[in-house]
């Protein structure tokens, strides 16, 4: 399963937060903005007005798995907020409080 940005698999296939602190900060800003506005479109507007880029991991090609930064899109906001991503069970089972926070905010 492809994980939403902000999460990665460990070598043992455990789901954890991406260790990249810039990625974590960007995902946190999506949750913060969405919690404040209640709108994915307004969150996108916020990122664009502040000239904030959003991380993306390439899924195909020679650079598969590499991190790139681009303008945020509507689906970039919705994907980490989607409770149907199948992440709730492994995240809640985790003892990592930060991961539980992501589920609680979603």
């Amino acid at each position: 399963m492809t994980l939403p940005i902000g999460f990665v698999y460990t070598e043992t296939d455990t789901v954890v937060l991406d260790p990249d602190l810039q990625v974590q900060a960007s995902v946190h800003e999506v949750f913060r903005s969405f919690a404040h506005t209640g709108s994915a479109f307004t969150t996108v507007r916020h990122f664009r007005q502040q000239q904030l880029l959003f991380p993306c991991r390439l899924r195909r090609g020679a650079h598969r798995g590499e991190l790139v930064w681009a303008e945020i899109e509507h689906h970039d906001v919705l994907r980490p907020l989607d409770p149907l991503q199948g992440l709730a069970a492994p995240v809640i089972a985790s003892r990592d409080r930060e991961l539980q926070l992501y589920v609680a905010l979603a």
Side-chain angles (χ1 to χ4, degrees), residues 3-106:
L3 297 173
I5 197 71
F7 295 99
V8 295
Y9 287 110
T10 65
E11 296 80 26
T12 60
D13 289 333
T14 303
V15 177
V16 297
L17 287 176
D18 192 310
D20 187 312
L21 295 179
Q22 287 180 299
V23 172
Q24 289 181 28
S26 186
V27 172
H28 175 76
E29 184 62 19
V30 167
F31 281 104
R32 190 205 63 74
S33 179
F34 187 83
H36 178 72
T37 66
S39 166
F41 284 113
T42 305
T43 298
V44 169
R45 185 179 314 124
H46 163 71
F47 266 72
R48 290 184 178 172
Q49 286 175 342
Q50 299 299 314
Q51 298 180 356
L52 301 173
L53 298 177
F54 193 73
C56 177
R57 294 229 179 252
L58 299 176
R59 296 184 185 191
R60 296 187 181 101
H63 299 283
R64 182 178 183 195
E66 288 185 17
L67 185 68
V68 295
W69 293 84
E71 277 195 357
I72 196 167
E73 300 290 336
H74 186 253
H75 66 268
D76 294 324
V77 175
L78 294 179
R79 188 155 192 251
L81 298 172
D82 184 355
L84 301 177
Q85 285 293 319
L87 288 176
V91 171
I92 290 171
S94 169
R95 289 198 168 109
D96 187 326
R97 293 178 56 93
E98 291 179 274
L99 289 174
Q100 292 176 16
L101 174 63
Y102 274 99
V103 171
L105 291 172

